[in-house]
Every structure is written in C-alpha cells, then in structure tokens.
C-alpha cells in the first residue's frame, strides 16, 4: 500500500510538472496548449489527492497524514531528479 501511495504521488507531481511550460520544454521539447496544461495540472492534483486518500485509509487521519507528507517528499525528490536529468539531456 505504501508503494501504491508513493506511485500516486509521483504521478501527481509528474502531472503538475507537465502542467508547467518550463518543464514541458525540458521533457517534451515544446510547450503544450493551455488546455492540455490544465489537464496535466488536474491529473497532478488528482494523483496527490489519491495518495492522501490511500494514506488516510491505510493509517487513519492523524498518522496517515504524517506518513503522506513523508511519502510526498520521496515522490517530489524522485520527480525533481528525473526532470533535472531529462532537462540536462535535452
């Protein structure tokens, strides 16, 4: 369940990243239309909300939220390092 929560958070941060023009240029080599950027941001926030829901279901509201914040850190670091690597490669 922890892995699923982290994967949902990674998908969320990746979606939020692709909703930003700077990261679109780094990852895709071009910018997307504003409607596509909005869709990626919606996907991103949905992924983060899903990961919070999974953490709360797994460990309850108090401890689930604490664990979720730690899992968000891991997910954000993963996406940031991936985006940085893709940006320097392009």
């Amino acid at each position: 369940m922890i892995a699923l929560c982290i994967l949902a958070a990674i998908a969320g941060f990746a979606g939020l990243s692709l909703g930003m023009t700077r990261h679109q240029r780094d990852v895709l080599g071009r910018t997307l239309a504003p409607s596509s950027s909005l869709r990626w941001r919606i996907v991103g926030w949905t992924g983060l909300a899903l990961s919070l829901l999974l953490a709360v279901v797994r460990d309850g509201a108090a401890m689930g939220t604490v664990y979720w914040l730690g899992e968000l850190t891991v997910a954000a670091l993963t996406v940031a390092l991936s985006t940085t690597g893709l940006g320097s490669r392009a």
Side-chain angles (χ1 to χ4, degrees), residues 5-39:
C5 186
I6 292 174
L7 286 175
I10 288 173
F13 280 122
L16 289 175
S17 175
L18 286 174
M20 299 171 66
T21 56
R22 176 174 176 221
H23 296 299
Q24 291 169 3
R25 274 187 251 124
D26 289 344
V27 175
L28 304 173
R30 63 185 175 94
T31 58
L32 299 174
S35 61
S36 295
S37 295
L38 178 63
R39 279 188 220 119

